[in-house]
Amino acid sequence: MTLPLRPDFIGEEPYGAPQLDVPIVLNTNENPYAPHDVVVNEIAARVGEAAKGLNRYPDRELMALRQGLADYLALESNVDVPATQLWAANGSNEIMLQILQAFSGPDRVVMTFTPSYSMYSEYARNVYAKFVAIPRATDFRINIDAVPATFAQHRPSVVLIASPNNPTGTALDQADLRAVLEASVGAGPEVNGQVTDSIVVVDEAYGEFRRDGVPSSLELLAEYPNLVVSRMMSKAFGAAGLRLGYMAASQTIIDMVRIVRLPYHLSAISQAAALAALEHRDSLMEQVGAIRADRDALAQTLRGMGLEVAASDANFIMFGTFENRHAVWQKLLDQGILIREVGPEGWLRVSIGTPHENEAFIAGLKEAMT
């Protein structure tokens, strides 16, 4: 039997980091701490209540959840975003897909600056868009001086920028983001004879882990109507299994994304669980502080071992460089420690674990380097 698979999918493999049954898993940037019992009990109670109405469709506009997210962002980033300017979906992956469905597609360009999140190219592929990857500088910053010419050459409909960046962990300087946003004005494709602005998406999947003094891109939202800031509850809230992502943007962008979203795309169960987690944000954010401190300590230890470490504002560290990084990765795996072989050649990435896991990683790495 021959099936009509799209030609550009032939030979492709599904995306996914290795999921191996080993004692220490530090390869997917998960929060190493399970939610507290009080949070688990609150989620269970809310989900139980929502289950009583499963014969009805959920609130397709997610208004209670959007207000809960607005309240959270006002505390976490000190930025007031109206609930109507927020949107949520099944993970930031679906958020990104909805953005590209609304603003990209055939004969349009999706642009990013690499190294960056490897799924961006697949998002573009799935909506038939052309994907353009612009190399970053050796310190993993964007070459801002070249940005205007890059926009003029490619006329992207959507620009995706991860900050903190994955896999490097580096945050985008706010002055650099302003320069990108200024260059994006009038840089998009023509629509009905009218030049458009490129949509600039800042993917803050790891935004809560940024160091003190590093601002969120949300602070520029009111100034730039073509800016979108994407977040998720997977990392900081220790809720990767919940699959809840969200975005903040102008009312116009939110309304356009609502056009392409599937009917009732976010279940009543997901909405109830997310609201319960948001109500316990204080205890969950305590974990964030601990992870940030452990990250900085782990980075110092790695530097003390003579390794190069990329400055990280995320819950992971990219380090190197190794002549044969795969051999180091394999030696760690042989010891029951799984990290990620990703990023520029010679570099490896490790997620921040519990103190015990971090200590085991360092001990294993020392053995792998001998």
Side-chain angles (χ1 to χ4, degrees), residues 1-45:
M1 180 172 62
T2 301
L3 300 176
L5 184 68
R6 276 173 47 181
D8 50 329
F9 284 171
I10 294 175
E12 293 289 325
E13 295 290 336
Y15 169 85
Q19 290 183 309
L20 305 177
D21 185 15
V22 296
I24 298 177
V25 178
L26 301 173
N27 71 320
T28 51
N29 306 334
E30 296 161 321
N31 188 320
Y33 301 105
H36 296 309
D37 287 344
V38 66
V39 181
V40 173
N41 293 336
E42 179 69 18
I43 290 174

Side-chain angles (χ1 to χ4, degrees), residues 1-121:
M1 180 172 62
T2 301
L3 300 176
L5 184 68
R6 276 173 47 181
D8 50 329
F9 284 171
I10 294 175
E12 293 289 325
E13 295 290 336
Y15 169 85
Q19 290 183 309
L20 305 177
D21 185 15
V22 296
I24 298 177
V25 178
L26 301 173
N27 71 320
T28 51
N29 306 334
E30 296 161 321
N31 188 320
Y33 301 105
H36 296 309
D37 287 344
V38 66
V39 181
V40 173
N41 293 336
E42 179 69 18
I43 290 174
R46 290 291 192 93
V47 167
E49 191 64 28
K52 296 177 183 179
L54 286 184
N55 58 310
R56 301 296 184 185
Y57 286 115
D59 176 10
R60 65 185 175 211
E61 298 302 330
L62 332 167
M63 286 313 304
L65 175 57
R66 291 158 78 182
Q67 185 59 59
L69 291 167
D71 295 341
Y72 166 69
L73 290 177
L75 292 173
E76 192 278 329
S77 297
N78 198 30
V79 178
D80 290 320
V81 182
T84 55
Q85 288 184 228
L86 291 163
W87 186 247
N90 292 283
S92 63
N93 306 97
E94 187 176 32
I95 287 290
M96 294 292 180
L97 181 59
Q98 290 177 345
I99 292 169
L100 294 195
Q101 286 176 320
F103 297 104
S104 191
D107 302 320
R108 292 194 173 186
V109 170
V110 175
M111 191 171 76
T112 195
F113 301 89
T114 54
S116 196
Y117 185 36
S118 58
M119 273 297 295
Y120 290 162
S121 61

